Amino acid sequence: MSWISAQQLSDMPEISPEEVSQALDLAADLVIHNLPDFTDRFPKAYSENGFYAATGNVDWTTGFWTGEVWLAYEHTGKTQLLEAGNVQMESFLERIEKKQDVETHDLGFLYSPSCVAGYKLTGSETGRRAALMAAKELTGRYHEKGEFIQAWGPLNAPDNYRLIIDCLLNLPLLYWTSEETGQDRYRQVAEKHIHTALSHVIREDFSTWHTFFFDRKTGAPDHGATCQGYRDGSAWARGQAWGVYGTAIGYR
């Protein structure tokens, strides 16, 4: 493997505004190219044979696609992107109203880039309503015993009394809701969760646990483990990156 030295890196020319604009144009064109497949439907959470099949608004990744639509719209102002984003916000509203596949902390991943972004960009009341409902659902996953938001599954499941590092990047939905409504409880839940998570997921060598379990009766910390990565004692790269990013947002 060939490594780039700090000096070599500093000697590289900076990217120009024109190159940035060209890259954004290309990214937006790719989003528009995919709208026929992904307006009423969404890319599946994982690829098969190099392609993402179209699926309904289920699982935990659909908000990322709508976020790409809004970023492309913000860059280009093109009507077809606005129309697609509005169609997808209606889908997110229906999902939270019917509580379809919402037993998860990933409501932040789902509703921040889709509905909060859509509301901020367009003033959509559909987006605002859906995001506020999702935030309320997310705070319903908060456990006073242990002071954390449960990751997945039924809240009374004895083997699921745990948080995972990913949730640090779901918390912006709660910060936004407190700002939007003036109700401080949402921010309080986010702050209690982030303090609990950072107290337990960071190991002595500054790597991180993917998931951390608590005693259901007392809320006392129990043990770390992983559902991702090589083994319990390894660090899952994507989760650690979410931890870094989520901590920075929480601090801000």
Side-chain angles (χ1 to χ4, degrees):
M1 180 178 291
S2 177
W3 296 97
I4 297 175
S5 69
Q7 184 60 50
Q8 288 174 311
L9 193 61
S10 65
D11 289 342
M12 288 182 178
E14 292 185 6
I15 189 170
S16 69
E18 292 77 17
E19 289 171 321
V20 171
S21 181
Q22 289 170 6
L24 289 171
D25 288 344
L26 175 60
D29 286 345
L30 288 170
V31 172
I32 292 170
H33 176 76
N34 281 289
L35 287 182
D37 292 325
F38 301 127
T39 292
D40 297 313
R41 307 279 282 173
F42 295 82
K44 202 170 184 177
Y46 54 89
S47 64
E48 296 176 281
N49 300 317
F51 290 90
Y52 289 86
T55 185
N57 195 346
V58 295
D59 219 322
W60 66 281
T61 58
T62 52
F64 298 145
W65 167 247
T66 308
E68 290 185 47
V69 171
W70 286 131
L71 287 169
Y73 172 67
E74 187 176 24
H75 178 62
T76 67
K78 291 187 176 180
T79 303
Q80 63 262 56
L81 292 162
L82 173 63
E83 292 173 348
N86 284 332
V87 168
Q88 289 167 25
M89 284 195 298
E90 290 286 353
S91 174
F92 278 101
L93 178 59
E94 180 181 17
R95 177 172 177 172
I96 194 65
E97 284 181 334
K98 294 182 177 180
K99 294 194 175 184
Q100 296 174 331
D101 198 12
V102 296
E103 285 190 331
T104 172
H105 67 169
D106 288 323
L107 291 163
F109 281 143
L110 290 166
Y111 284 85
S112 289
S114 61
C115 294
V116 174
Y119 170 61
K120 288 182 176 180
L121 277 173
T122 71
S124 167
E125 283 302 313
T126 295
R128 182 180 186 275
R129 181 182 173 193
L132 292 177
M133 291 179 68
K136 184 176 181 180
E137 186 77 15
L138 182 56
T139 57
R141 302 192 64 75
Y142 177 74
H143 290 297
E144 292 289 349
K145 289 182 178 180
E147 297 189 333
F148 68 95
I149 296 169
Q150 181 178 312
W152 309 300
L155 296 175
N156 59 355
D159 59 344
N160 237 339
Y161 205 74
R162 43 103 173 261
L163 60 80
I164 65 174
I165 195 170
D166 314 30
C167 192
L168 297 178
L169 211 49
N170 283 301
L171 301 180
L173 177 64
L174 302 184
Y175 303 138
W176 169 81
T177 301
S178 273
E179 293 172 358
E180 185 67 21
T181 65
Q183 297 179 35
D184 199 48
R185 167 169 164 72
Y186 294 95
R187 181 189 58 80
Q188 290 175 357
V189 166
E191 289 189 354
K192 286 180 178 179
H193 177 92
I194 196 171
H195 283 287
T196 299
L198 293 180
S199 296
H200 300 296
V201 301
I202 301 174
R203 297 189 288 234
E204 289 186 0
D205 63 357
F206 300 109
S207 65
T208 52
W209 295 110
H210 169 236
T211 184
F212 201 91
F213 288 82
F214 298 82
D215 185 278
R216 190 178 172 206
K217 294 181 180 179
T218 66
D222 195 284
H223 68 282
T226 189
C227 290
Q228 305 279 7
Y230 173 60
R231 56 183 171 81
D232 282 347
S234 64
W236 178 45
R238 188 172 76 190
Q240 183 134 341
W242 277 337
V244 172
Y245 191 5
T247 302
I249 292 174
Y251 176 77
R252 184 181 66 184

